[in-house]
Amino acid sequence: QAEVVEGGVEEVGEEVKAEAPKSIEDMLASPEFLKKQIAVLNADKAALEAKLEAMEATLKKEQDSYLRLGADFENFRRRTAGELLAATDKATANLCKNLLPALDNFDRAERAVKSASDAEAKIVNSFMAISKTILNVLTAMKVEPVEAEGELFDPNFHEAITRVDSDIHPEGYVAQQLSRGYRLGDFLIRPAICAVSNGPGPAVPEGEAPAGEGEVAAAGGVEGAEGAAEGADGKKKMFWQK
């Protein structure tokens, strides 16, 4: 029995020895441990991916906000620049309107005055120098005169107050400019007041003097032009009145 017992004891010992705990290296290399480790890593990976997606969404939101802010600022800059330019043009146009009556008087005086002596010529040259100075100031402010005589009548820049027969200018062309117009870039400050040609008139009977184009002014055209020039702003809507 002892041998049996001993044998039994020996058999039991061998079984216990076979079920003894494994080493750490064996545990780390075991399939069960590797599966658990893979599961933990997958969970960490999913958490990191979710965090990365949230950060990318936040970054995209901030980028969109930055782009919108930049676009709003650019629109504000352009709008402000446009408003400043419009205000500057309005101030320039108002100043020019206040100077136009003086320039018109200089032009009429130049047409009407005939110098009979050197002294009178000097006086005329003196006041015309003043007119030229005013025109130079307006030119520096980018105000340009609208010349009409000899040009095809354009209702956008000319205002006709009468029609005259002309052997010089074809029908539909400006035969005589009574008051000069002015413009600021593409904006019209005041149209040129003019007389438009009908073309050659009827034949003049022998012994009668032909009616010249200059008779428009002699017959009161200057006064009519002055009134038309003063009322031109009421007839045409200026750009600052939009």
Side-chain angles (χ1 to χ4, degrees), residues 108-128:
R108 296 184 188 107
E110 183 181 16
R111 289 195 298 264
V113 174
K114 304 298 180 182
S115 301
S117 64
D118 293 340
E120 292 178 354
K122 289 181 180 180
I123 295 175
V124 173
N125 292 336
S126 296
F127 72 71
M128 290 312 302

Side-chain angles (χ1 to χ4, degrees), residues 7 20 42-43 67-68 78 87 89 96 134 139 145 153 164 210 220 235 239:
N42 286 335
L67 293 176
R68 285 195 300 270
R78 291 180 180 178
D89 289 346
C96 183
I134 297 175
T139 300
F153 179 77
V164 296
K235 295 180 181 179
F239 69 93

Side-chain angles (χ1 to χ4, degrees), residues 11 19 41 51 68 73 98 102 138 141 169 183 185 240:
E11 290 177 0
E19 295 177 359
L41 292 175
K51 187 176 180 179
R68 285 195 300 270
F73 177 77
N98 292 330
L138 294 181
M141 298 168 66
H169 302 288
R183 59 188 292 183
W240 62 83

Side-chain angles (χ1 to χ4, degrees), residues 81-228:
E83 291 173 353
L84 178 61
L85 180 61
T88 302
D89 289 346
K90 180 179 179 180
T92 301
N94 287 335
L95 174 61
C96 183
K97 285 182 62 180
N98 292 330
L99 293 175
L100 292 187
L103 289 173
D104 291 341
N105 289 333
F106 280 124
D107 290 341
R108 296 184 188 107
E110 183 181 16
R111 289 195 298 264
V113 174
K114 304 298 180 182
S115 301
S117 64
D118 293 340
E120 292 178 354
K122 289 181 180 180
I123 295 175
V124 173
N125 292 336
S126 296
F127 72 71
M128 290 312 302
I130 299 174
S131 175
K132 185 176 180 181
T133 300
I134 297 175
L135 285 174
N136 290 338
V137 172
L138 294 181
T139 300
M141 298 168 66
K142 299 182 180 180
V143 175
E144 301 175 349
V146 177
E147 302 293 348
E149 189 165 344
E151 300 292 332
L152 180 65
F153 179 77
D154 185 349
N156 295 313
F157 299 102
H158 306 149
E159 181 173 345
I161 61 171
T162 186
R163 299 184 69 94
V164 296
D165 297 333
S166 174
D167 294 329
I168 301 174
H169 302 288
E171 183 178 2
Y173 281 72
V174 176
Q176 185 178 2
Q177 175 175 280
L178 305 177
S179 290
R180 185 185 293 115
Y182 293 90
R183 59 188 292 183
L184 177 61
D186 294 332
F187 302 119
L188 185 66
I189 296 176
R190 189 185 73 181
I193 309 302
C194 59
V196 180
S197 171
N198 283 326
V204 179
E206 187 175 353
E208 293 185 11
E213 297 175 10
E215 293 184 5
V216 174
V222 171
E223 290 76 5
E226 183 176 359

Side-chain angles (χ1 to χ4, degrees), residues 12-106:
V12 171
E14 290 178 357
E15 291 178 359
V16 172
K17 185 178 180 181
E19 295 177 359
K22 298 179 181 180
S23 65
I24 294 176
E25 291 78 4
D26 292 338
M27 290 179 62
L28 294 177
S30 66
E32 292 80 4
F33 181 81
L34 292 177
K35 288 180 180 179
K36 291 180 180 180
Q37 190 174 20
I38 291 173
V40 172
L41 292 175
N42 286 335
D44 292 342
K45 178 185 176 184
L48 290 174
E49 288 177 345
K51 187 176 180 179
L52 178 61
E53 290 179 359
M55 293 177 65
E56 288 177 344
T58 301
L59 178 61
K60 187 177 185 304
K61 181 179 179 181
E62 295 298 328
Q63 287 177 336
D64 293 342
S65 177
Y66 172 78
L67 293 176
R68 285 195 300 270
L69 181 62
D72 291 341
F73 177 77
E74 181 64 19
N75 292 333
F76 170 78
R77 187 188 66 80
R78 291 180 180 178
R79 183 173 62 255
T80 303
E83 291 173 353
L84 178 61
L85 180 61
T88 302
D89 289 346
K90 180 179 179 180
T92 301
N94 287 335
L95 174 61
C96 183
K97 285 182 62 180
N98 292 330
L99 293 175
L100 292 187
L103 289 173
D104 291 341
N105 289 333
F106 280 124

